[in-house]
Amino acid sequence: MSYIKNQINMTRGNLLKEIDGLSPEFMDIQPIGFNNTIHWHLGHVLSASEKFLLDSPNNSSLPENYGQLFGYGSKPSDWSEGVPSTETLKQQLQEQLDRLLAIPEETYNDKVAAPFMGMETVADFISFVILHETNHIGQIHAMKLVIQASN
């Protein structure tokens, strides 16, 4: 496995390990000082990875409403219906990992059609997705500690 694919695998593995054994109710607690829930973070990481690395105009593996539920600036207090369970999100995160690892290494240096925030190649976007996901793993870890301390 290449260095980049190893990073993708380790990062997603750490996310899944961080939430292992948490009840769905625990994942929907929004601790004081936090803008979202662990449930939201799972959907956000899933949606962002999909958007930046796997979406194409006619091919998305995620439901259309995920952008509204989990996109930048969204929050659980705005949810009304169509929210996937945390179990569904965990399964989708695992399935997405296989698709991320299937990105051909020979495409890593390819230029993307729509550069974003200085990112121009597939590898640039992979690096961003890894950094983004690790940031959210840290948020989830902090939220777990706060929730556990208050119970």
Side-chain angles (χ1 to χ4, degrees):
M1 185 178 289
S2 73
Y3 172 77
I4 290 176
K5 288 188 180 198
N6 189 47
Q7 288 295 304
I8 294 168
N9 196 46
M10 281 184 12
T11 302
R12 184 57 56 89
N14 283 335
L15 172 64
L16 294 170
K17 183 179 175 187
E18 190 68 47
I19 61 169
D20 188 42
L22 296 181
S23 71
E25 298 79 25
F26 188 98
M27 290 193 204
D28 283 314
I29 296 170
Q30 183 173 333
I32 294 172
F34 290 88
N35 296 328
N36 289 297
T37 62
I38 295 172
H39 189 161
W40 179 89
H41 282 280
L42 298 179
H44 179 73
V45 165
L46 177 72
S47 298
S49 297
E50 193 78 18
K51 174 184 173 184
F52 288 118
L53 290 174
L54 300 169
D55 257 353
S56 63
N58 300 316
N59 182 31
S60 177
S61 295
L62 300 179
E64 254 183 66
N65 69 332
Y66 277 35
Q68 294 167 318
L69 294 170
F70 304 115
Y72 182 79
S74 64
K75 55 188 182 294
S77 60
D78 292 339
W79 292 348
S80 58
E81 58 184 47
V83 180
S85 70
T86 55
E87 286 305 313
T88 296
L89 292 173
K90 286 195 283 189
Q91 180 181 349
Q92 289 171 327
L93 285 161
Q94 185 61 55
E95 291 167 357
Q96 186 184 65
L97 175 59
D98 296 334
R99 292 184 291 119
L100 292 170
L101 294 174
I103 297 171
E105 291 180 43
E106 58 271 12
T107 67
Y108 288 179
N109 291 320
D110 291 357
K111 298 275 186 188
V112 297
F116 179 73
M117 294 176 43
M119 298 177 288
E120 299 179 351
T121 67
V122 172
D124 291 339
F125 278 87
I126 291 172
S127 294
F128 172 76
V129 164
I130 292 169
L131 174 65
H132 177 258
E133 191 159 331
T134 56
N135 177 50
H136 286 277
I137 293 168
Q139 289 290 311
I140 291 168
H141 183 76
M143 291 174 82
K144 279 176 50 179
L145 293 175
V146 169
I147 293 167
Q148 288 167 340
S150 65
N151 286 337

